[in-house]
């Protein structure tokens, strides 16, 4: 149990375009999901907390107008990187919480050309 | 503020050796949770264990064992008889009662097990 999926696993896009990443909890409902960013050989950096039915809470320094988060249901949260630029290239990971534990998706590798 | 320190950046061992990954944490919360996650080369974080601050019992799961010591604020992870498949980045993480479920991660320890 406690499986989280993420789609797509890899995406390459041109600078200036928007990219949407989906995060789904497959076998449980998650009122709270989290979005992380991970640079090569570094730890995970929390970007925002996504609560079902309400606005996301962004960490300091994360541009909420650039990284749009929607948590439309108890099993789906989406992250949209708007007007992506090469510096947005990274590994984006979501997690869904059940009880006191977060379970992570497989990640999405975004490359912006 | 919460902090997790994994002082070992990289560890290299030969198969069948035992290896311990250290984790030291700081928090002002009286109730908190500690976690270990494994991140293999594929990138997906795999949940290994959760411990709450009121349960200092050590835990063993197969070749994995965890030593939680509140007195030293440590939550160390030992792999017995390591295998090549154990090669991964291991993260220790902390979630405090006042952080609303947010995880504070350590920097991770890269474990390489050589055949």
């Amino acid at each position: 149990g406690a499986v989280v999926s993420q789609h797509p696993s890899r995406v390459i896009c041109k600078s200036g375009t928007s990219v949407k990443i989906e995060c789904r909890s497959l076998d449980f409902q998650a009122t709270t999901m989290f979005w992380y960013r991970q640079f090569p050989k570094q730890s995970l950096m929390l970007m925002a907390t996504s609560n079902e039915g309400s606005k996301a809470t962004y960490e300091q320094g994360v541009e909420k107008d650039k990284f749009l988060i929607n948590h439309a249901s108890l099993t789906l949260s989406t992250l949209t990187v708007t007007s992506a630029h090469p510096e947005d290239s990274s590994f984006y990971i979501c997690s869904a919480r059940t009880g006191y534990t977060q379970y992570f998706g497989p990640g999405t590798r975004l490359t912006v050309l | 503020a919460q902090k997790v320190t994994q002082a070992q950046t990289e560890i290299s061992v030969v198969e069948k050796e035992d290896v311990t990954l250290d984790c030291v944490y700081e928090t002002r919360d009286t109730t908190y949770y500690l976690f270990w996650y494994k991140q293999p080369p594929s990138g997906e974080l795999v949940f290994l264990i959760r411990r709450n601050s009121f349960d200092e019992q050590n835990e063993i799961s197969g070749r994995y064992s965890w030593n939680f010591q509140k007195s030293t604020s440590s939550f160390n992870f030992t792999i017995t008889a390591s295998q090549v498949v154990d090669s991964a980045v291991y993260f220790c993480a902390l979630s405090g009662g006042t952080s609303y479920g947010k995880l504070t991660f350590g920097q991770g320890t890269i474990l390489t097990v050589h055949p």
Side-chain angles (χ1 to χ4, degrees), chain B residues 6-55:
Chain B
Q6 293 179 253
Q8 305 148 308
T9 307
E10 293 193 49
I11 299 176
S12 183
V13 299
V14 177
E15 214 171 15
K16 296 185 184 176
E17 283 185 27
D18 297 348
V19 57
T20 295
L21 283 62
D22 297 333
C23 173
V24 175
Y25 62 92
E26 296 175 30
T27 180
R28 291 184 178 179
D29 290 319
T30 53
T31 301
Y32 53 88
Y33 299 87
L34 294 161
F35 304 81
W36 276 95
Y37 288 89
K38 173 183 180 180
Q39 187 176 38
S42 62
E44 181 172 358
L45 268 82
V46 177
F47 166 72
L48 296 178
I49 190 171
R50 182 190 79 233
R51 223 57 191 144
N52 75 53
S53 50
F54 297 110
D55 183 1

Side-chain angles (χ1 to χ4, degrees), chain B residues 40-103:
Chain B
S42 62
E44 181 172 358
L45 268 82
V46 177
F47 166 72
L48 296 178
I49 190 171
R50 182 190 79 233
R51 223 57 191 144
N52 75 53
S53 50
F54 297 110
D55 183 1
E56 286 192 70
Q57 265 195 330
N58 291 330
E59 180 153 343
I60 298 174
S61 176
R63 296 184 297 107
Y64 296 169
S65 62
W66 291 270
N67 184 343
F68 176 27
Q69 293 203 341
K70 225 167 167 177
S71 59
T72 56
S73 297
S74 65
F75 186 43
N76 296 337
F77 172 31
T78 297
I79 301 175
T80 304
S82 59
Q83 300 176 359
V84 173
V85 293
D86 296 326
S87 297
V89 183
Y90 290 87
F91 290 100
C92 180
L94 165 71
S95 175
T98 58
S99 62
Y100 305 102
K102 289 191 211 178
L103 284 173

Side-chain angles (χ1 to χ4, degrees), chain A residues 34 36 38 42-43 46 59 91 93 97 100-106, chain B residues 33 35 37 39 43-45 47 50 91 100-103 105-107:
Chain A
F34 301 86
Y36 296 83
Q38 186 179 33
Q42 292 190 23
S43 188
L46 179 65
E59 295 301 299
F91 191 54
I93 310 174
R97 188 179 72 185
Y100 298 108
T101 301
Q102 287 184 36
Y103 294 91
F104 288 80
Chain B
Y33 299 87
F35 304 81
Y37 288 89
Q39 187 176 38
E44 181 172 358
L45 268 82
F47 166 72
R50 182 190 79 233
F91 290 100
Y100 305 102
K102 289 191 211 178
L103 284 173
F105 281 90
Q107 285 304 106

Side-chain angles (χ1 to χ4, degrees), chain A residues 4-66:
Chain A
V4 178
S5 72
Q6 219 174 306
H7 179 79
S9 57
R10 288 179 180 273
V11 58
I12 301 173
C13 68
K14 291 183 180 179
S15 187
T17 60
S18 294
V19 174
K20 180 186 280 190
I21 303 170
E22 291 187 350
C23 177
R24 293 181 186 272
S25 55
L26 298 185
D27 51 0
F28 64 99
Q29 293 184 329
T31 54
T32 305
M33 291 184 173
F34 301 86
W35 287 96
Y36 296 83
R37 186 171 178 177
Q38 186 179 33
F39 291 104
K41 298 191 184 255
Q42 292 190 23
S43 188
L44 282 75
M45 181 191 81
L46 179 65
M47 299 175 65
T49 302
S50 169
N51 294 298
E52 187 266 338
S54 64
K55 288 184 180 180
T57 305
Y58 291 82
E59 295 301 299
Q60 196 170 10
V62 177
E63 299 175 60
K64 59 182 179 182
D65 294 330
K66 180 164 191 62

